[in-house]
Amino acid sequence: AKIFGKLFESATWEDYQCGRISQSVCYAQHAQELGVDSSDLEETMRLTASTLQANKKLFDLVYELKKTSRGKIKVVAMSNIATEDYELLSATCGDPDQWNVFDTIFLSDNIGMRKPSLKFFLHVLNKMGIRPSSATFVDDQLSNIQSARSLGINCVLFERNSSIVHCQIRNYLADPTLKAREWLAKNA
C-alpha cells in the first residue's frame, strides 16, 4: 500500500494523469525507480484495477435524486485519471451502463490538471456554467474537499463505511418540497 501511495503521489504519476506522458513512459519510469520490470508493474496495475468495485448504493442514490429533480440536477465526474485507465475502469468496474449517470465527465488528462488544483474546479464550474454555491462536490480525499470548499462549493467527504454520507448528499441535492412531504408523512 505504501508503494502505491508513493507512486500515485509522484510527479511522474501527475504527469501521466495530466496527459503529459504516456502510460508506458510512466510505468517505465516507476519500474526503474522500484527496480522491477515495467511489464510486471503494468500487470500489477491491471490486476489492481480489476479488483475495484463501484459503490452501487451511491450510484442508485444519484440516479434517484436525478430522477426526482426532473432535470434540475446535473451530475459531473471529476477524476484524476488518464483516459485509458478510465476506459478500463468504466468497462470493468460494475455495470458499464451505470456510468451514464454522469452528464459530463472531466478527466485530468483531457484538461491537463488534477484535483486539488483550484484551476481544475474553476474549469469545471466555468464549463458547466454554474456558481460554486449551487454545486455539491463529493470526494474521498480531504485535500480535494478543502480546495472545493475554499471556492464556496458545498462538499461531502465520502467515507466508504459511513452511514451519513447518503444523508448529507440527499440534504444538499434532494427537492426540499419532497423532503418536507416525506417528513410530514412520517411525523404528522
Side-chain angles (χ1 to χ4, degrees), residues 36-144:
V36 299
D37 188 74
S38 63
S39 62
D40 291 339
L41 180 58
E42 183 176 347
E43 178 67 7
T44 300
M45 298 300 283
R46 189 188 62 71
L47 289 171
T48 301
S50 71
T51 67
L52 298 175
Q53 295 185 3
N55 187 310
K56 184 172 177 356
K57 287 182 181 180
L58 184 59
F59 273 95
D60 289 347
L61 173 64
V62 173
Y63 269 114
E64 174 197 331
L65 292 170
K66 276 187 75 167
K67 183 178 177 182
T68 59
S69 79
R70 293 179 227 99
K72 293 179 184 172
I73 293 177
K74 299 293 181 209
V75 179
V76 175
M78 298 172 56
S79 187
N80 292 345
I81 194 168
T83 299
E84 57 196 313
D85 290 341
Y86 170 76
E87 289 170 355
L88 174 65
L89 180 69
S90 62
T92 60
C93 186
D95 178 3
D97 290 335
Q98 75 190 2
W99 299 94
N100 295 333
V101 73
F102 298 110
D103 295 293
T104 306
I105 298 173
F106 292 92
L107 305 181
S108 58
D109 84 334
N110 292 336
I111 59 175
M113 57 189 113
R114 299 189 314 177
K115 301 173 292 182
S117 169
L118 293 176
K119 291 179 181 179
F120 193 135
F121 291 98
L122 292 170
H123 174 83
V124 171
L125 291 168
N126 183 51
K127 289 289 184 185
M128 296 304 296
I130 57 174
R131 296 179 326 278
S133 62
S134 66
T136 299
F137 177 66
V138 180
D139 200 275
D140 64 347
Q141 297 295 313
L142 184 58
S143 59
N144 297 337

Side-chain angles (χ1 to χ4, degrees), residues 153-165:
I153 297 172
N154 301 305
C155 294
V156 176
L157 179 62
F158 182 81
E159 297 172 287
R160 185 164 306 282
N161 297 320
S162 174
S163 60
I164 64 167
V165 168

